[in-house]
Amino acid sequence: MAYTKEDIIRMVKEENIEFIRMQFTDIFGQLKNVAITASQVERAVNNEIMLDGSSIEGFVRINESDQYLYPDLDSFTIFPWRPQHGKVARLICDVHNPDGTPFVGDPRGVLKRVLEKAKRMGYDAFNVGPEAEFFLFQTDEDGKPTTKTNDEAGYFDLGPLDHGEGTRREICIALEQMGFEIEASHHEVAQGQHEIDFKYADALRTADNIMTFKLAVKTLAQKNGLHATFMPKPIFGINGSGMHTNMSLFKDGKNAFADPTGEMGLSKECYSFIAGLLAHVQGFAAITNPLVNSYKRLVPGYEAPCYLAWSAANRSALIRIPVSRGMGTRVELRCPDPCCNPYLALAVCLAAGLDGIEKGMTPPPEITENIFKMDEMTRKAHGIASLPGSLEEAIRAMEADRLVMDTLGEHVAENYIEGKWKEWDEYRTRVSSWEREKYIVIY
């Protein structure tokens, strides 16, 4: 939907909207907002709403704190869940400096820069379809999350086994009211685990949609006395939550990954894009899999891919090429998890793929066997490397990958890495319940 400033001012009046949330995302993927009253809507659409950037982690220092929110007018939507007083709408914003230039630390700006590069290379669209999984847990009498699900359902099961079904349906309805096209929603493999797939869009809109999706899921779960989490591996011994990411490039309105005469119906560009992803995935894992906990999911045996390989059908490979061809030809990267900052994650994926195309890279041969069942010697013989095994390894790989660092830009890269080292050190020095259970009696 394309809106003008006048449209938004009119809708705020006509719909009796009382508050507008001016939303933006910090570098660690946390949704932030400045809430304004409806009387300030004209200032909002004229880019006059300020924020104190020094209070946002990884933004700016205290002596340069004033920044401005420039709303993307097309992102205007009314939240379908009702607060106690008045309607609430939102606008997704870019962050700008006082002189009007885009702020280099704004993740949305990072993605826009890579999309510009794709345009210069002749690609008019980078379409992305995410498959985000999450858990619904019960809360205790204080409203704190537990890891109880009250749910005996499995993959694609439905009612009365699936106690989250009502909440999942409510989320789907709310998202559709906000303009999403829901393609599928189902129970996942683990108890309490769910997936809602919405229609692909261009990368910037998809990243906006992922942030909106996470907010809707958490808000509506809480309303129903449940806690929704996108944590990659909340429970030991069962599947974690991923966000498989389907990607395709378009040139002159045609899918650039499709070639009916190419091997497996794929174009040279598609193979080079795959090769670029494989070349840089270790370097961008700290972005697509950003938490200490992310690396508890990326282990063999729980459907999460941890080996660098590609295949048409093999779900143990990191990159899969789904069966549809022609306009539906796409590359599915299976490692990202839903905790990632979607703007940065899509930016590094696109940059890696474009690097593959620019350099004419070719991927290694397709792996059709189950990689999880191979021993180390067999994997070595096939030349199959692994993703980083921990956040520490991932940060080191990121620091060593020039393309990833340049894509993020100095400001985002430095602040992101500093934050992640802090997180790793806190984890490394914290004494866990596992250590106490294991050692306190024996020693």
Side-chain angles (χ1 to χ4, degrees), residues 11 38 44 58 108 144 152 172 204 231 263 281 293 324 348 350:
M11 285 188 289
R108 208 166 181 262
K144 295 255 176 15
E152 298 83 50
C172 290
L204 190 66
M231 181 179 176
E263 195 184 334
V281 68
N293 183 255
S324 99
V348 292
L350 176 56

Side-chain angles (χ1 to χ4, degrees), residues 400-411:
D401 191 312
R402 200 63 260 153
L403 178 90
V404 173
M405 297 292 278
D406 289 346
T407 300
L408 298 174
E410 197 180 331
H411 182 101

Side-chain angles (χ1 to χ4, degrees), residues 157 227 316 415:
D157 279 350
H227 177 79
S316 68
N415 283 283

Side-chain angles (χ1 to χ4, degrees), residues 125-151:
F126 175 50
N127 286 339
V128 181
E131 302 168 26
E133 296 167 338
F134 58 94
F135 279 85
L136 289 174
F137 290 128
Q138 291 180 298
T139 50
D140 63 18
E141 54 278 7
D142 300 323
K144 295 255 176 15
T146 66
T147 49
K148 290 198 194 85
T149 63
N150 193 19
D151 168 5

